[in-house]
Amino acid sequence: MPAHEGTRTYDAVIVGGGHNGLVAAAYLARAGRSVLLLERLGHTGGAAVSSRPFAGVDARLSRYSYLVSLLPDKIVRELGLDFRVRGRTISSYTPVERGGRATGLLVGGGEERTRRAFAELTGDEREFGAWQRFYGMTGEVARRVFPTLTEPLPTRAALRARVGDEDAWRALFEEPIGVTVEENFRDDLVRGVVLTDALIGTFADAHDPSLAQNRCFLYHVIGGGTGAWDVPVGGMGALTDALADAARAAGAEIVTGHEAVRVDTDGRTAEVTYRTADGEGVAAARHVLVNASPRELAALTG
Ligand SMILES: Cc1cc2nc3c(=O)[nH]c(=O)nc-3n(C[C@H](O)[C@H](O)[C@H](O)COP(=O)(O)OP(=O)(O)OC[C@H]3O[C@@H](n4cnc5c(N)ncnc54)[C@H](O)[C@@H]3O)c2cc1C
């Protein structure tokens, strides 16, 4: 559509400065495209930001999301991100009362310590053996599936062939994860610990026919090809700041305090209207990437 007089035209206007918007801005700018990224808040990072919660203490903590797993090394390398993570020794501790006694399940601190924790909780070695077999299986799936996250989306058949283990395919991709967890684990607390990765952040239950819980589970166990979740040094905001730096260094224009309020398009080009504290502005674009919710996209396009 014809741009208004004085309106600057970009190859891409990106709505939303969360980590996905920032990654898109960095790659497009590095490919020589002109990029404008609009963020409505006063800072970039979206739900992956840090804050200094303690007055007078110079410590930055993750505010919402707090652990890194799904960020491919390939992106860290290609964008030259100045960003570090540290491993965790302990991954979880779940307190419980058994026989009137306060106890719990500690996962982590080395294989021997975890084995002892399972034995103390369940009274035998069976449950820890099941745990090792189950996570051996998810680890193998992780090694095969994670590289596809930075490749063109494979078909279902291609992914199944890549997984190359029909039992694992059935357990993780075909049947509700609740069935698999019940088949493999006897102890209700252990079942709950395994299911955390399937239910956190979803509104599905363990046996939901939509399999949304399986998708959630896979995202939690395939990161980095191992399923490990690391702590970002400086909080998650250190990562999104590094992404914003990489995008700016490549020439992307990033503006905060700019809320996109409308996208008009004739299907070939578009105009994005945005609001700032000082009024409204318009940017013309050959492509618009909306890195916000589907509801926001629907509102923007009317
Ligand atoms: C409590 C919580 C804990 C989590 N824990 C983890 C974790 O430990 N590890 C992990 O990897 N993931 C975690 N996640 C998920 C992770 O935070 C998200 O997957 C990630 O933030 C999504 O990034 P995004 O860039 O797609 O979107 P977002 O981070 O949602 O960013 C979208 C951005 O768009 C902006 N925006 C929206 N509408 C407009 C508009 N009209 N104009 C301009 N700007 C607009 C928003 O202000 C926001 O900055 C957690 C999420 C939550 C809520």
Side-chain angles (χ1 to χ4, degrees):
M1 54 199 294
H4 286 104
E5 209 177 318
T7 303
R8 184 159 168 208
T9 301
Y10 294 85
D11 291 318
V13 170
I14 301 175
V15 177
H19 66 70
N20 284 313
L22 294 170
V23 166
Y27 274 102
L28 286 167
R30 285 163 62 94
R33 304 296 191 273
S34 57
V35 177
L36 172 68
L37 184 149
L38 305 167
E39 169 55 52
R40 76 173 159 204
L41 299 177
H43 53 79
T44 53
V49 287
S50 301
S51 63
R52 286 188 176 78
F54 310 113
V57 181
D58 187 24
R60 282 173 28 122
L61 305 185
S62 302
R63 175 176 269 175
Y64 304 111
S65 80
Y66 52 98
L67 293 172
V68 179
S69 178
L70 291 161
L71 174 68
D73 279 343
K74 182 175 191 283
I75 293 181
V76 176
R77 271 197 318 275
E78 285 179 355
L79 299 184
L81 302 182
D82 182 14
F83 168 70
R84 281 169 302 131
V85 292
R86 299 260 165 83
R88 292 180 303 167
T89 323
I90 304 295
S91 52
S92 72
Y93 178 73
T94 312
V96 68
E97 199 182 285
R98 288 272 161 98
R101 194 172 64 88
T103 177
L105 180 64
L106 180 103
V107 177
E111 186 176 322
E112 202 34 52
R113 195 166 167 191
T114 307
R115 179 194 304 279
R116 271 204 318 274
F118 270 81
E120 277 170 28
L121 180 82
T122 63
D124 59 38
E125 296 281 319
R126 186 194 170 278
E127 211 65 347
F128 184 64
W131 177 276
Q132 284 189 304
R133 280 192 300 280
F134 183 75
Y135 285 106
M137 178 267 285
T138 64
E140 193 51 40
V141 170
R143 204 173 61 74
R144 289 160 189 243
V145 172
F146 189 67
T148 68
L149 266 61
T150 44
E151 294 170 7
L153 189 66
T155 62
R156 193 176 178 86
L159 191 67
R160 185 176 190 157
R162 191 154 177 161
V163 167
D165 174 346
E166 284 299 300
D167 290 339
W169 181 262
R170 178 188 61 79
L172 300 176
F173 295 83
E174 297 280 353
E175 281 185 356
I177 190 85
V179 173
T180 306
V181 170
E182 283 164 355
E183 275 175 9
N184 283 277
F185 301 100
R186 203 167 42 179
D187 188 280
D188 201 45
L189 181 116
V190 176
R191 286 177 173 178
V193 171
V194 176
L195 277 173
T196 306
D197 281 338
L199 303 183
I200 192 167
T202 59
F203 294 106
D205 68 60
H207 297 86
D208 200 300
S210 73
L211 302 190
Q213 72 280 25
N214 290 47
R215 203 180 313 151
C216 180
F217 184 79
L218 282 166
Y219 274 124
H220 279 106
V221 299
I222 64 168
T226 63
W229 287 79
D230 293 328
V231 180
V233 176
M236 207 62 132
L239 167 57
T240 50
D241 285 352
L243 288 170
D245 289 346
R248 282 202 189 90
E253 223 177 290
I254 297 178
V255 288
T256 56
H258 283 58
E259 179 177 16
V261 289
R262 210 174 65 236
V263 176
D264 297 298
T265 180
D266 59 9
R268 289 191 310 115
T269 59
E271 283 189 353
V272 181
T273 305
Y274 55 83
R275 198 176 290 145
T276 69
D278 302 325
E280 278 195 0
V282 177
R286 296 194 179 85
H287 298 277
V288 179
L289 279 67
V290 176
N291 183 53
S293 64
R295 180 193 291 251
E296 187 68 20
L297 173 60
L300 289 172
T301 53

